[in-house]
Amino acid sequence: MSEQTLTAALDLVSHELDDLVDAVGESDPGPAARALDLLDGAERVFVHGAGRSGLALRMTAMRLMHLGLDVHVVGEVTTPAIESGDVLLTASGSGTTGSIVQAARTAVDVGAQVVAVSTTASSPLAELAEVTLVLPAATKTDRSGTASAQYAGSLFEQGVVLLGDALFHALWQRSGHSADDLWPRHANLE
């Protein structure tokens, strides 16, 4: 019985992700192109998200580092001050998470640009962002089951991982580097 339940759960997650990818693919390509340009032209990239969204962005940070970008995770003790020319890549389903909105405000105040990933284009975070990439998913407080049958913000957080990998892949293709070119940047102290 548990195997059937696991199969049904995997099917649900897979279908919801397929729908999310289709919706993002059908949206205006302008924001995604702008986000890619900002990341590609950044002096440094800082990533910031809370909870599972933050964990998802850490995966993106690692891949951007493999590409050769100078990347920092907000909150780590070695993270320097953000400055003009830098980009802050954030994820907040609601776009209202206090620490993320405050970090975006600080980034804008010093002349850095903000790329936001959210479920809405209308939020305090989106107002501060140069570009907002909208993932049509439930926020963690939406328990209606309308946007997703999964618990809390699971679909959004899964979408952040997929979007991060897609951003990386598009930037990698732009770079013209091979997988062998990126490989020496993988951690060797594991």
Side-chain angles (χ1 to χ4, degrees):
M1 176 120 161
S2 64
E3 187 171 332
Q4 182 183 14
T5 302
L6 179 59
T7 300
L10 286 169
D11 284 345
L12 170 77
V13 170
S14 174
H15 289 305
E16 286 194 356
L17 284 170
D18 285 344
D19 290 345
L20 182 136
V21 168
D22 288 345
V24 170
E26 293 168 359
S27 65
D28 176 8
R34 180 73 178 128
L36 288 167
D37 289 343
L38 288 171
L39 292 168
D40 201 19
E43 293 289 324
R44 299 174 300 177
V45 175
F46 293 74
V47 302
H48 188 32
R52 286 173 41 113
S53 299
L55 292 172
L57 278 184
R58 291 172 67 98
M59 294 171 65
T60 302
M62 177 185 279
R63 283 293 185 247
L64 295 177
M65 177 275 298
H66 290 152
L67 192 56
L69 277 64
D70 187 359
V71 184
H72 301 278
V73 176
V74 173
E76 295 294 324
V77 295
T78 57
T79 301
I82 194 167
E83 301 172 347
S84 179
D86 296 334
V87 169
L88 175 64
L89 174 60
T90 63
S92 171
S94 67
T96 62
T97 307
S99 62
I100 297 168
V101 172
Q102 182 55 49
R105 187 172 290 114
T106 299
V108 169
D109 287 348
V110 300
Q113 295 179 303
V114 177
V115 174
V117 180
S118 186
T119 62
T120 179
S122 178
S123 69
L125 179 61
E127 289 175 16
L128 292 163
E130 178 72 20
V131 63
T132 300
L133 302 173
V134 176
L135 297 177
T139 64
K140 67 183 176 189
T141 59
D142 179 0
R143 292 180 296 281
S144 69
T146 305
S148 174
Q150 296 183 64
Y151 178 71
S154 293
L155 180 59
F156 174 72
E157 297 141 5
Q158 294 155 0
V160 171
V161 171
L162 288 177
L163 183 64
D165 276 353
L167 288 167
F168 160 77
H169 191 80
L171 289 169
W172 179 30
Q173 296 309 299
R174 274 188 186 188
S175 77
H177 295 296
S178 71
D180 288 337
D181 295 332
L182 274 58
W183 184 251
R185 294 188 190 100
H186 271 262
N188 59 5
L189 296 176
E190 296 179 311

